[in-house]
């Protein structure tokens, strides 16, 4: 039986929590964009160490044109890929996309702000604009 944790959490959040998680076969974070594997030598008697998690590059390479490399340390404005083009575009509109700790997605907080929501609405109401870029969205 394989045990996997799938979360929308930021990579940084998942890595910080990793030591408190049960022994897993893999961790998927950022809504499944980033899949990480512990070393095969991981055991129940050792404290889990997030620094040894290995990125599934076969998976991440399938959408590298959208996200760029998922192990990048570049700031979001310098990243390549259609996702980061959208990030910059939304920023130019006056929105403040949040990519802190994210490498394959970002958030835009419009809660209780109709003006910000109005700027974002053309993107979320016309899914074909996002799909052309290889991007989808979720709203909560």
């Amino acid at each position: 039986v394989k045990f996997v944790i799938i979360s929308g959490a930021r990579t940084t959040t998942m890595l910080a929590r990793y030591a408190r998680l049960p022994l897993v076969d893999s961790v998927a974070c950022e809504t499944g964009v980033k899949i990480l594997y512990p070393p095969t030598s991981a055991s129940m008697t050792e404290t889990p160490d997030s620094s040894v998690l290995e990125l599934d590059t076969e998976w991440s390479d399938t959408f590298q044109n959208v996200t760029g490399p998922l192990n990048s340390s570049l700031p979001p404005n310098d990243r390549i890929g259609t996702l980061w083009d959208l990030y910059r575009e939304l920023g130019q509109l006056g929105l403040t996309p949040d990519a802190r700790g994210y490498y394959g997605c970002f958030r835009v907080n419009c809660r209780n702000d109709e003006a910000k929501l109005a700027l974002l609405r053309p993107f979320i109401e016309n899914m074909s604009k996002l799909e052309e870029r290889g991007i989808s969205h979720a709203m909560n």
Side-chain angles (χ1 to χ4, degrees), residues 60-113:
S60 65
D61 286 351
T62 62
F63 44 84
Q64 190 165 353
N65 63 320
V66 176
T67 63
L70 291 179
N71 56 358
S72 173
S73 61
L74 291 173
N77 276 319
D78 296 338
R79 295 179 191 168
I80 58 169
T82 58
L83 179 71
W84 306 111
D85 294 341
L86 178 62
Y87 177 93
R88 288 183 286 276
E89 190 176 334
L90 295 175
Q92 291 168 355
L93 289 174
L95 294 167
T96 51
D98 170 15
R100 183 179 44 88
Y102 288 122
Y103 301 89
C105 60
F106 61 83
R107 300 170 55 125
V108 180
N109 185 355
C110 296
R111 183 171 288 139
N112 301 322
D113 192 329

Side-chain angles (χ1 to χ4, degrees), residues 40-58:
T40 54
S41 61
S43 78
M44 296 292 272
T45 59
E46 298 173 13
T47 302
D49 178 3
S50 66
S51 69
V52 298
L53 291 173
E54 185 178 323
L55 177 66
D56 184 334
T57 54
E58 183 178 344

